[in-house]
Amino acid sequence: MQGLEGVRVLELGNMVSAAYAAKLMADLGAEVIKVEEPQGDLARQRGPFPGGTPHLEKSGLYLALNTNKRSVTIDLRQSQGQERLRQLVTNAEIVIHNYPPAQMAALGIDYQTFRAFNPRLVMCSVTPFGLTGPHKDYHAHEITMAHGGGWAWLSPGALEDPALPPLKAFGHHADFQGALAAATATLGAYYQALVSGNGEHIDLSVQAYVASFLEQNFIYYTYMGKVASRLGQRLLYPWGMYKAKDGLIFLVIPEPDQWTRLVELMGNPEWGSWEIFQDGFMRAENWDVLKPYLDEWIKEWTIRDLWKAGQERRICFAPVFTMAQLPEQEQLRAREFFVDVTHPQAGTLTYLGAPYQLHDPWWNIRRPAPLLGEHNSEISSPEFQVSSVQPLAASPQPLTPSPRLPLAGVRVADFTWVWAGPFAAMHLAHLGAEVIKIESHSRPDLARRLPMVPTGMEPHVNRSGYFNQWSQGKKSLLLNLGKPEGIAIAKQLIAQSDVVIENFATGVMEQLGLGYEVLKQIKPDIIMASICGYGHTGPQSKYMGYGPAVAPLTGLSSLSGYADGPPRELGLSYGDPNAGINAAVAVCAALAARQRTGKGQAIDVSLWEAVAALVPEGWMDYAMNKTQPPRMGNRDLWMSPHNCFRCAGEDEWVTIACGTEDEWQVFCKAIGHPQLVTDPRFRTAADRKAHEDELETLMTAWTTLRGKWDVTRILQAVGVAAFPSMNSKDLVDDPHLNERGFFTRLPHPEVGVQTHTGIPWRLSNGPNGVRKPAPLLGEDTDTVMRDILHCSDEEIAKFKEQKVLY
């Protein structure tokens, strides 16, 4: 038995969030039964399609999201269908769905009912706003979540034209991120069900999860009172896309030594020593002076030569790839990222591969996406009447009423810093793990050094809002890994831990003597997750890959941008939180697998691959048709209207999307123009797409006379997905997020009570809320050394004197 083999998962719903969460489990071996309504998952109608011709069995999005699954069709609106669902639930370990609250009751999806006959069941409800709160019944599409969670407000970044609206990324990235968070929490809860016999219901809000990964921008407001936006220059420079001989290349320089090396690569020009360019902030202030020099120099290079020359000097250059260029990349080919899959209707196509690589290779595409109802006859067969899963490691404890967090009892040795790794470890802490962050005075986490402190305070390693946001719920152990005694203590801690997580550059843990081959000698069932830009194997494994460089590398930037405009960035370092949450998914899967098999795992997360796995609509269009979709701003390939519209007030915007003809008709009435329903320009979605400019001109005339919340309330009242493009202040003030307890306001000994984003899901059985604020540097050193490693006070004092605990 490997990975999640034999774990039975039921998936219900439409489109991306539930499907991708279930796919993550299916690709690791779980037996996923996809319950479709008789007309099929809406993703079957989405495309892209071969030749652009719609076909229920050939939608690229559907094919990509549903590998390794079985499809059964059940009409959940009928009592017989609901009884059939209950039979399937009886023998399931996990149910994951994305039906909104109002539909759950109508379709018979009720956790308390299910739990009565399956106490160990874990169910995750992935919905736009969650199952409680004043906005729980608001209608939503992907655009609603991308803007409503605050991400699109920051995108594309460094924008000069205020007339352009906030920009969503191409595709369904808000829903993909919701899916990743759902998989993390669900697999964590499944682990607890194996340990204790207790099931769980997870209520996950996609809006809240999007709001939880806004980099420094949320803290920028709550700590410093400043609202970040897409407009204006970046705080550091160089940062952006530049024209080379044969296309665009991205460059970011966050560290002083990288600037020095760039100037050397440029031949040490005289201007490189000018005072105005001597740090990143000064270069940002004088970007208009510096940019012409960079433009002139970069345009003489080919992309490949400059990428290689820069990376050899540890300078973060990254090409802005198209879909056609992705399969040419030697690193992705060497790591076998692309997988050929043969489907009975769509034929053989090349699919995007795994978001991480595993030492024990559980990930595998065993079968293509199912035909609609392909497995209907199987659900009445004997194999579906008895659950195939029995935990092998230990018998579950008796069902107890005491609430436990999913990862209670799990210990994590956290060697991470900055964002991607800390983000992963924070989610394990949110799920109840004891996360011990290894830190040192000799090299404090860069996150502690960022000058994001409450207004009026002096910067200090314990006051950075950036650190305090991403290290909630953790402990801090001072440990100098530059000393042999420090390494020895690290090994002792690992021997008492379940998980090790790190995001140093490739090879650093091995150089320290803490690589996986060493660690599994110390603890054979250890789970180790490593995060880096390009992955730990392959010809470019030594290349550096900061989060903002990843969207260009994956082709996502080439897909994202305003119509008729250039490729754009995404407003935040998307590669980092995405890699972090992928690592958390894999760790929770490995914990569940270890509970069943007794075996550990090593997880290799590449920022590049983890984001590339999330561009199936762009990629499948290329795989099928050798083209990629055009950049279209906030518009949609099929839906219209679907955009972000200016409202009354300065830089105020609202999103509006009509996904059905019924929604279009009630929209026309709500805005006082019922005649638009019969206007030949707008009669069908295809007509509206053909006359989209005219339609949006009419809509803008209506929205600009009203506030963004007025527009939202008017349209949501009739069932149309409308919601503001939210900035950080809007999020803090949002009554819905506040009522759901999303924000964390815990007293901290250095910064007092500040507002941080908290946990985007609610548990029905376990306790909710962040347990403790981020730790002071070394706050838990004595406790960890005494209680976990059983050192005496004299030994601890000696280690401190020797600067081992330092």
Side-chain angles (χ1 to χ4, degrees):
M1 181 181 293
Q2 283 199 334
L4 301 181
E5 181 183 347
V7 178
R8 184 164 295 170
V9 179
L10 293 185
E11 174 207 321
L12 303 92
N14 291 284
M15 288 296 289
V16 172
S17 58
Y20 191 65
K23 172 185 162 61
L24 288 163
M25 301 176 203
D27 292 349
L28 293 175
E31 177 188 353
V32 175
I33 301 169
K34 183 179 181 72
V35 178
E36 300 190 65
E37 295 180 64
Q39 70 273 20
D41 183 343
L42 290 176
R44 291 180 177 275
Q45 303 170 29
R46 174 75 192 182
F49 299 102
T53 304
H55 190 293
L56 278 181
E57 305 295 356
K58 298 181 182 180
S59 161
L61 181 62
Y62 179 85
L63 295 173
L65 289 176
N66 292 287
T67 52
N68 292 325
K69 300 179 186 178
R70 292 174 170 148
S71 167
V72 299
T73 51
I74 300 177
D75 188 347
L76 296 177
R77 289 169 175 77
Q78 303 295 323
S79 58
Q80 307 98 298
Q82 293 183 14
E83 176 57 33
R84 215 173 190 190
L85 174 62
R86 284 192 288 272
Q87 291 171 2
L88 290 175
V89 170
T90 301
N91 299 314
E93 281 72 49
I94 293 169
V95 173
I96 188 159
H97 78 91
N98 63 356
Y99 283 111
Q103 285 189 45
M104 288 174 65
L107 301 178
I109 303 170
D110 179 70
Y111 179 69
Q112 293 306 322
T113 299
F114 294 164
R115 189 170 188 261
F117 53 80
N118 187 351
R120 290 173 50 183
L121 181 71
V122 173
M123 184 167 105
C124 184
S125 301
V126 191
T127 59
F129 297 96
L131 302 181
T132 61
H135 298 161
K136 69 181 178 65
D137 292 319
Y138 271 18
H139 290 248
H141 295 288
E142 163 71 20
I143 188 174
T144 320
M145 298 295 91
H147 285 265
W151 178 6
W153 177 262
L154 303 166
S155 180
L159 186 68
E160 297 178 27
D161 185 356
L164 292 172
L167 178 71
K168 72 176 287 291
F170 172 85
H172 286 80
H173 287 266
D175 274 335
F176 275 122
Q177 291 305 309
L180 284 157
T184 300
T186 300
L187 288 167
Y190 174 62
Y191 163 79
Q192 184 58 228
L194 290 174
V195 171
S196 67
N198 289 298
E200 183 60 86
H201 182 203
I202 301 149
D203 165 15
L204 185 133
S205 157
V206 176
Q207 181 205 19
Y209 186 67
V210 172
S212 78
F213 64 78
L214 300 183
E215 205 164 0
Q216 78 281 359
N217 297 286
F218 184 82
I219 293 300
Y220 193 55
Y221 174 69
T222 61
Y223 272 55
M224 304 172 72
K226 299 177 181 179
V227 177
S229 85
R230 70 201 184 284
L231 301 170
Q233 285 305 307
R234 300 195 182 279
L235 295 176
L236 295 174
Y237 196 82
W239 182 325
M241 299 180 196
Y242 300 85
K243 290 183 180 178
K245 275 185 179 179
D246 51 349
L248 292 174
I249 192 163
F250 177 84
L251 168 65
V252 61
I253 301 282
E255 298 283 356
D257 60 318
Q258 294 166 1
W259 169 251
T260 301
R261 293 195 295 273
L262 176 63
V263 171
E264 289 173 355
L265 178 60
M266 297 176 76
N268 290 308
E270 183 269 336
W271 55 260
S273 63
W274 292 355
E275 182 67 26
I276 61 172
F277 298 152
Q278 290 317 294
D279 69 47
F281 300 111
M282 294 175 71
R283 291 191 292 272
E285 288 179 12
N286 298 283
W287 71 273
D288 54 336
V289 180
L290 178 54
K291 186 175 186 298
Y293 291 113
L294 293 173
D295 287 339
E296 188 67 22
W297 180 73
I298 290 174
K299 74 178 185 181
E300 299 301 321
W301 288 79
T302 65
I303 290 171
R304 179 165 293 278
D305 287 346
L306 183 54
W307 185 23
K308 185 173 186 290
Q311 286 282 355
E312 285 174 347
R313 292 162 177 81
R314 302 295 292 165
I315 302 168
C316 189
F317 280 102
V320 182
F321 285 136
T322 63
M323 293 295 100
Q325 291 170 310
L326 274 187
E328 300 171 357
Q329 301 315 308
E330 59 178 347
Q331 178 71 2
L332 296 179
R333 293 201 311 271
R335 285 169 61 85
E336 299 181 340
F337 178 68
F338 299 99
V339 182
D340 287 342
V341 179
T342 301
H343 184 273
Q345 294 277 344
T348 300
L349 294 167
T350 300
Y351 287 44
L352 300 168
Y356 31 67
Q357 294 204 347
L358 304 175
H359 183 272
D360 292 328
W362 304 337
W363 193 96
N364 186 33
I365 302 297
R366 305 179 303 280
R367 64 170 71 92
L371 303 176
L372 181 60
E374 179 179 348
H375 303 93
N376 281 345
S377 61
E378 292 186 18
I379 66 169
S380 57
S381 67
E383 75 167 284
F384 279 82
Q385 305 309 308
V386 179
S387 174
S388 60
V389 173
Q390 296 296 328
L392 302 183
S395 298
Q397 301 166 10
L399 187 66
T400 58
S402 58
R404 294 188 63 175
L405 283 165
L407 298 187
V410 172
R411 180 174 294 132
V412 179
D414 175 8
F415 292 84
T416 68
W417 71 321
V418 194
W419 193 17
F423 191 75
M426 180 187 71
H427 281 85
L428 302 180
H430 284 347
L431 288 168
E434 179 188 25
V435 177
I436 302 171
K437 183 175 177 65
I438 288 82
E439 304 196 78
S440 175
H441 282 292
S442 61
R443 196 188 185 207
D445 189 336
L446 177 63
R448 284 194 181 273
R449 291 178 269 145
L450 294 176
M452 289 193 153
V453 300
T455 303
M457 283 191 185
E458 290 296 316
H460 187 274
V461 290
N462 291 324
R463 296 174 185 169
S464 167
Y466 193 95
F467 179 88
N468 291 343
Q469 173 64 59
W470 308 124
S471 292
Q472 294 178 91
K474 303 178 187 178
K475 296 178 178 178
S476 173
L477 167 68
L478 281 176
L479 191 59
N480 186 351
L481 298 178
K483 289 182 174 286
E485 298 89 345
I487 297 297
I489 291 172
K491 290 179 178 179
Q492 292 175 44
L493 178 63
I494 289 164
Q496 301 297 320
S497 298
D498 303 281
V499 177
V500 172
I501 186 164
E502 59 93 11
N503 66 324
F504 296 139
T506 299
V508 169
M509 287 293 275
E510 285 75 13
Q511 292 166 15
L512 291 171
L514 298 173
Y516 178 63
E517 295 303 320
V518 173
L519 299 192
K520 70 178 183 179
Q521 297 300 318
I522 298 169
K523 194 170 195 298
D525 64 351
I526 196 71
I527 295 164
M528 183 175 187
S530 299
I531 305 169
C532 67
Y534 286 61
H536 288 78
T537 62
Q540 294 172 320
S541 61
K542 302 292 187 183
Y543 278 21
M544 63 192 313
Y546 292 126
V550 176
L553 269 179
T554 59
L556 184 54
S557 285
S558 74
L559 294 163
S560 301
Y562 301 103
D564 302 320
R568 293 285 188 171
E569 295 180 64
L570 305 182
L572 50 79
S573 302
Y574 184 38
D576 287 313
N578 180 65
I581 196 65
N582 270 284
V585 170
V587 166
C588 289
L591 284 166
R594 191 183 71 169
Q595 188 66 19
R596 301 168 70 237
T597 68
K599 297 178 181 178
Q601 179 63 282
I603 302 152
D604 173 8
V605 183
S606 151
L607 270 68
W608 188 356
E609 292 164 356
V611 173
L614 303 183
V615 291
E617 287 164 289
W619 171 256
M620 293 301 275
D621 197 0
Y622 173 75
M624 291 173 168
N625 303 311
K626 296 298 181 253
T627 60
Q628 71 175 45
R631 291 181 288 278
M632 60 184 67
N634 291 292
R635 287 179 174 178
D636 184 75
L637 290 164
W638 304 99
M639 284 188 262
S640 183
H642 185 287
N643 214 327
C644 184
F645 298 89
R646 187 177 289 280
C647 291
E650 183 180 351
D651 205 26
E652 298 277 86
W653 301 84
V654 71
T655 60
I656 301 172
C658 292
T660 67
E661 291 305 311
D662 286 345
E663 290 173 11
W664 164 246
Q665 291 176 19
V666 296
F667 166 77
C668 294
K669 294 175 184 175
I671 67 170
H673 293 289
Q675 73 280 3
L676 294 180
V677 172
T678 56
D679 189 316
R681 296 173 297 172
F682 310 132
R683 204 165 271 150
T684 67
D687 294 330
R688 296 192 290 276
K689 287 297 295 180
H691 299 92
E692 203 156 19
D693 288 344
E694 299 162 72
L695 174 59
E696 290 180 355
T697 298
L698 291 169
M699 292 175 64
T700 301
W702 183 75
T703 60
T704 51
L705 299 177
R706 293 163 177 82
K708 60 189 178 186
W709 284 109
D710 292 330
V711 172
T712 297
R713 285 187 281 268
I714 290 167
L715 296 183
Q716 287 287 355
V718 297
V720 173
F723 205 79
S725 189
M726 303 277 274
N727 61 36
S728 295
K729 183 180 185 303
D730 294 327
L731 293 171
V732 171
D733 294 341
D734 184 2
H736 178 81
L737 290 173
N738 278 283
E739 184 170 313
R740 281 181 58 82
F742 171 59
F743 299 113
T744 302
R745 299 179 175 97
L746 297 174
H748 182 279
E750 290 270 353
V751 300
V753 177
Q754 302 292 336
T755 300
H756 303 89
T757 58
I759 301 176
W761 59 75
R762 306 284 297 172
L763 304 176
S764 65
N765 298 331
N768 288 295
V770 174
R771 292 172 293 164
K772 66 185 290 289
L776 304 179
L777 181 62
E779 175 183 335
D780 305 283
T781 300
D782 288 14
T783 303
V784 170
M785 295 299 294
R786 186 183 303 114
D787 295 349
I788 298 175
L789 302 185
H790 309 297
C791 288
S792 67
D793 290 345
E794 292 76 17
E795 288 173 306
I796 294 170
K798 180 181 176 183
F799 283 135
K800 288 180 178 179
E801 183 181 344
Q802 295 173 338
K803 292 196 171 182
V804 174
L805 301 179
Y806 176 78

